[in-house]
Amino acid sequence: QVQVVESGGGLVQPGESLRLSCAASGFTLDYYAIGWFRQAPGKEREGVSCISRSNSGTQYADSVKGRFTIARDNAKNTVYLQMNSLKPADTAVYYCAIDLSHVCTLATTYDYWGQGTQVTVSS
């Protein structure tokens, strides 16, 4: 059974950093595209970043370019989202998702989703 698990969320002040982790049982994550998404209260879920199969490409939402970095650690079968210079507007539940088509996209068309981890940026 596929299980996708996010971790690393928390409460931070503006300008601080967090690193989110995405792990999955039943999958070798390097074989698939992995996406990070977020959903703030009252808003639709939006794509934040994604990484294609075998690190062949990445994408970032304009709102996080230059601040967030997605990366894989294949030895740990984990995908990370390093978030720097956090802003209150980054406050949301962050989700990790797996796309079986291997294609990196910021659309919410992924096949398997985690339960999410809360990120709150507030002074």
Side-chain angles (χ1 to χ4, degrees):
Q1 184 174 355
V2 177
Q3 194 170 22
V4 182
V5 180
E6 306 93 340
S7 62
L11 171 63
V12 297
Q13 294 188 347
E16 294 185 339
S17 299
L18 278 175
R19 188 179 74 165
L20 305 183
S21 300
C22 174
S25 60
F27 279 95
T28 299
L29 293 183
D30 191 45
Y31 293 170
Y32 304 99
I34 308 299
W36 282 100
F37 297 81
R38 66 187 182 187
Q39 189 166 18
K43 296 188 177 181
E44 293 189 355
R45 192 171 297 187
E46 63 175 354
V48 174
S49 181
C50 61
I51 186 166
S52 294
R53 174 181 180 175
S54 300
N55 295 339
S56 56
T58 59
Q59 290 189 47
Y60 295 92
D62 288 342
S63 59
V64 307
K65 281 180 182 176
R67 299 189 297 123
F68 291 11
T69 303
I70 191 169
R72 297 180 187 270
D73 184 336
N74 292 334
K76 297 182 178 180
N77 198 32
T78 299
V79 174
Y80 299 104
L81 183 69
Q82 178 67 44
M83 306 187 297
N84 298 330
S85 302
L86 283 162
K87 305 175 181 180
D90 296 316
T91 296
V93 177
Y94 283 71
Y95 299 89
C96 176
I98 299 172
D99 191 309
L100 299 181
S101 72
H102 318 303
V103 176
C104 171
T105 172
L106 297 183
T108 57
T109 55
Y110 285 56
D111 299 286
Y112 295 99
W113 292 80
Q115 294 300 306
T117 185
Q118 176 70 47
V119 172
T120 303
V121 185
S122 175
S123 55

